[in-house]
C-alpha cells in the first residue's frame, strides 16, 4: 500500500480561467473544502451602481445527485478583481467560498452563476453536467504494485492491484517508465480486470504488463462512476512502484507474462 501525499493537506478546489478544475488535498466527507474561483471564467456581468459593484458569483452544490441544492455567494477577499492580462492562475485574484462536507456525502457536485443589476444570468456548469468531485481515497484503496525482473529476459513485469467501491465501473492504470532515455519514452494505459466483491469492495488487478528490464514506474489510476471519468493521481505526484527486485524463477515470470498477453 502506498502513502497518499495529501492525507495531511486541507482540501481545495481551484477553478482557473483556462477552464481547469484542480482538486488538491484530502477531500473526504467531514472536511471543509475551500473553493478558489477565477471570476474571469464568468466575465459577462460586471454591473456597477454609484461606483460600487452590483455583480456577484454564486456557487451551488449538492452532496449526492438527488440531494438538496445549497448555495452561497463567493467572496472577493481582495475587493474588486483587478484587470487581468493573461489567464495564468498565478495572476488570478480568486473569489472564494468554504463548503462543509457532511459525513454522509456521496460526492461533491458544484456549479456557478454570475448575475447582477441587469438580472441576466450566466452559468458555469460544464454545459449542464456540473462539476463532480469524487472522494478518491475512499473510492480506491489498498493500492499495491511491483516490478518483477528476471535477469534471463530483456523485460520486466509490472503488476498492480487495488480495491474499489462497487459503484466503480472500470479501472485503468496509466504509467510511465521514468528511467528510460528521453529519446525512447515508454508509457501506456492498461485496463485492470475486475475480481471478487469482498466486504463491500471489488478487487481490480493487472499482472505481467511488459515493461523494460528493471523499469522504475510512476503510475496513476483512471476510473469511471456513472459513465464519468475520475483520476486518482495522488495530488499530481503519482504513485511509485517499489524498486524492481530480480526473481530467480524464470518459469514463473514467463508464465505471468504469457497470462497477460
Amino acid at each position: 500500500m502506498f502513502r497518499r501525499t495529501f492525507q495531511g493537506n486541507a482540501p481545495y478546489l481551484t477553478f482557473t480561467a483556462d477552464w481547469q478544475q484542480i482538486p488538491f488535498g484530502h477531500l473526504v466527507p467531514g472536511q471543509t473544502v475551500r473553493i478558489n474561483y477565477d471570476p474571469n471564467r464568468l466575465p459577462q456581468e460586471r454591473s456597477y451602481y454609484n461606483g460600487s459593484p452590483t455583480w456577484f458569483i454564486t456557487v451551488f452544490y449538492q452532496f449526492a445527485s438527488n440531494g438538496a441544492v445549497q448555495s452561497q455567494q463567493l467572496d472577493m477577499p481582495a475587493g474588486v478583481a483587478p484587470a487581468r492580462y493573461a489567464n495564468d492562475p498565478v495572476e488570478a485574484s480568486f473569489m472564494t467560498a468554504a463548503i462543509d462536507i457532511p459525513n454522509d456525502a456521496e460526492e461533491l457536485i458544484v456549479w456557478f452563476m454570475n448575475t447582477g443589476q441587469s438580472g441576466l444570468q450566466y452559468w458555469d456548469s460544464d454545459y449542464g453536467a456540473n462539476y463532480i468531485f469524487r472522494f478518491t481515497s475512499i473510492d480506491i484503496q489498498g493500492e499495491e504494485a511491483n516490478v518483477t525482473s528476471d535477469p534471463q529476459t530483456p523485460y520486466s513485469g509490472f503488476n498492480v492491484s487495488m480495491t474499489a467501491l462497487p459503484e466503480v465501473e472500470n479501472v485503468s492504470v496509466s504509467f510511465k517508465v521514468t528511467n528510460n532515455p528521453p529519446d525512447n519514452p515508454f508509457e501506456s494505459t492498461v485496463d485492470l480486470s475486475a475480481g471478487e466483491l469482498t466486504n463491500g469492495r471489488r478487487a481490480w488487478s493487472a499482472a505481467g504488463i511488459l515493461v523494460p528490464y528493471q523499469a522504475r514506474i510512476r503510475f496513476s489510476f483512471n476510473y469511471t462512476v456513472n459513465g464519468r471519468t475520475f483520476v486518482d493521481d495522488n495530488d499530481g505526484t503519482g504513485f511509485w512502484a517499489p524498486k524492481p527486485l530480480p526473481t530467480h524463477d524464470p518459469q514463473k515470470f514467463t508464465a505471468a507474462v504469457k497470462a497477460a498477453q
Side-chain angles (χ1 to χ4, degrees):
M1 187 180 298
F2 298 90
R3 177 183 177 274
R4 292 180 179 274
T5 60
F6 58 71
Q7 285 180 328
N9 297 337
Y12 289 77
L13 299 175
T14 300
F15 296 77
T16 67
D18 58 357
W19 299 101
Q20 296 184 71
Q21 292 72 235
I22 305 172
F24 176 85
H26 198 203
L27 182 65
V28 291
Q31 292 270 22
T32 297
V33 59
R34 177 182 172 125
I35 304 294
N36 294 326
Y37 189 86
D38 191 326
N40 270 23
R41 290 172 65 109
L42 284 173
Q44 295 90 344
E45 172 69 47
R46 292 296 184 266
S47 53
Y48 284 79
Y49 181 75
N50 288 337
S52 298
T54 57
W55 64 272
F56 56 90
I57 296 177
T58 299
V59 57
F60 297 84
Y61 49 95
Q62 297 171 285
F63 301 111
S65 59
N66 59 350
V69 176
Q70 303 179 53
S71 66
Q72 59 178 288
Q73 189 171 315
L74 298 179
D75 293 325
M76 177 61 82
V80 179
R84 292 280 300 280
Y85 299 96
N87 282 335
D88 190 329
V90 173
E91 192 184 323
S93 295
F94 289 107
M95 302 180 77
T96 64
I99 297 176
D100 295 326
I101 306 175
N103 290 324
D104 61 351
E106 297 177 8
E107 57 193 1
L108 176 60
I109 307 168
V110 298
W111 64 101
F112 303 86
M113 180 191 68
N114 172 216
T115 189
Q117 189 176 17
S118 71
L120 299 175
Q121 297 180 348
Y122 303 94
W123 296 88
D124 176 4
S125 63
D126 195 19
Y127 301 99
N130 299 330
Y131 301 104
I132 301 177
F133 298 91
R134 297 285 303 182
F135 308 125
T136 57
S137 63
I138 296 176
D139 287 342
I140 290 180
Q141 293 180 356
E143 305 89 342
E144 298 284 353
N146 61 66
V147 177
T148 306
S149 298
D150 178 5
Q152 300 183 48
T153 74
Y155 301 105
S156 290
F158 175 41
N159 313 293
V160 61
S161 64
M162 39 76 72
T163 69
L165 292 178
E167 51 263 41
V168 173
E169 298 158 343
N170 54 65
V171 184
S172 63
V173 59
S174 295
F175 66 92
K176 181 177 182 178
V177 175
T178 62
N179 56 342
N180 251 36
D183 59 347
N184 185 29
F186 192 106
E187 53 190 306
S188 184
T189 297
V190 175
D191 290 333
L192 274 61
S193 298
E196 297 295 325
L197 187 65
T198 305
N199 297 325
R201 301 188 68 86
R202 186 174 302 282
W204 295 82
S205 64
I209 303 170
L210 285 175
V211 294
Y213 181 68
Q214 292 280 291
R216 295 300 312 274
I217 293 178
R218 178 176 180 263
F219 63 95
S220 61
F221 294 106
N222 309 300
Y223 65 98
T224 60
V225 177
N226 294 325
R228 297 188 68 152
T229 300
F230 302 90
V231 177
D232 184 7
D233 63 0
N234 204 16
D235 253 1
T237 64
F239 299 100
W240 289 84
K243 184 178 180 180
L245 296 175
T247 176
H248 298 290
D249 187 353
Q251 290 183 343
K252 182 178 180 181
F253 174 75
T254 301
V257 171
K258 287 183 177 179
Q261 292 176 334

